[in-house]
Amino acid sequence: ARLAPTPADALTDAADVLALVKERSEAVQSVSAEARVSIYGDQGARKAKMIIVARRPDSLHFQALAPTDQMLGILATDGTTFTSFESGAKACYVGSACPENVSRLLPIIDMDGEDIVELLAGGVPVFSYERVELSWDGARGGYRLDLTADSAPRVSQQIWVAHKTGDVLGSRAAVDGKERFVLEFEDFHDHDGARIPHTLSANIRNGKVD
């Protein structure tokens, strides 16, 4: 495959690339979408149409629909509490908005609401790090940030970022030697001056969820 050459005006400071990512991400304060969702895991394949509404910092509304638009399940959280209900269930669940509860309907990497909103806005959760190195990845056609922390928790995270736009192309993270996620963002579109990826792929190998 042909490698993308380093741009003549490429950034050379990792802090500048991180600032570009933050600026692009924060341009998206809320997202509403009708999406096709496919989840593959230990419980088999689950596919549904989903209405998604997300607002910073951590408000979320997920509604899963059958092909006939019949409601299959709903989950809503304001960042403090959550409510979840699935069609045919005998109980409606309410409680604190911890990652386990927020991920009941859509198991996105066992994240809290703020990190899920960040993902839906085209950003990526960044783990605490002690060092960061910047390079150009010709195979990905973008910058590569390598973030590491040797003190507990030990972190190794890579983030790929598009030149100029600051679009996050993907990320991989491992914490204490265990891979947390592999993320891919594709098919970017402009919406009122903000760029949002229309395809998000999340692979959680430790939890065998794709």
Side-chain angles (χ1 to χ4, degrees):
R2 185 176 180 181
L3 301 181
T6 305
D9 58 347
L11 299 174
T12 57
D13 191 325
D16 291 337
V17 177
L18 286 168
L20 183 64
V21 170
K22 183 178 180 180
E23 179 183 5
R24 191 223 62 83
S25 176
E26 291 183 349
V28 182
Q29 289 297 308
S30 62
V31 176
S32 63
E34 179 179 302
R36 294 187 301 274
V37 179
S38 301
I39 302 172
Y40 304 91
D42 288 340
Q43 297 179 346
R46 298 168 60 188
K47 297 184 179 183
K49 182 168 68 176
M50 187 165 285
I51 305 299
I52 298 173
V53 181
R55 184 179 68 235
R56 291 187 186 277
D58 48 17
S59 294
L60 290 161
H61 177 103
F62 295 121
Q63 185 171 342
L65 304 175
T68 59
D69 285 343
Q70 175 187 0
M71 189 193 75
L72 299 176
I74 189 168
L75 182 144
T77 175
D78 61 1
T80 302
T81 60
F82 94 105
T83 301
S84 177
F85 177 76
E86 293 190 30
S87 178
K90 296 181 179 180
C92 176
Y93 294 93
V94 296
S96 64
C98 62
E100 183 180 5
N101 285 337
V102 173
S103 298
R104 290 182 67 90
L105 188 64
L106 188 62
I108 306 182
I109 323 166
D110 194 26
M111 289 182 173
D112 60 24
E114 187 171 354
D115 286 343
I116 294 175
V117 173
E118 186 68 36
L119 276 184
L120 295 172
V124 62
V126 178
F127 290 94
S128 297
Y129 60 92
E130 298 166 353
R131 300 183 306 280
V132 57
E133 296 180 2
L134 173 67
S135 59
W136 178 259
D137 189 331
R140 294 296 295 266
Y143 300 105
R144 171 173 166 161
L145 293 163
D146 284 271
L147 297 80
T148 56
D150 297 323
S151 56
R154 293 179 295 111
V155 171
S156 173
Q157 183 174 13
Q158 296 80 44
I159 304 173
W160 287 268
V161 181
H163 179 56
K164 289 190 175 180
T165 64
D167 295 335
V168 175
L169 305 175
S171 181
R172 178 185 291 111
V175 178
D176 288 333
K178 294 183 179 180
E179 188 172 79
R180 286 291 303 275
F181 58 68
V182 176
L183 304 172
E184 300 288 343
F185 300 87
E186 298 176 299
D187 194 18
F188 289 85
H189 292 258
D190 284 305
H191 295 273
D192 296 326
R195 290 174 58 79
I196 298 176
H198 280 211
T199 301
L200 164 61
S201 300
N203 185 277
I204 309 96
R205 296 176 185 171
N206 200 35
K208 298 180 180 179
V209 175
D210 189 356

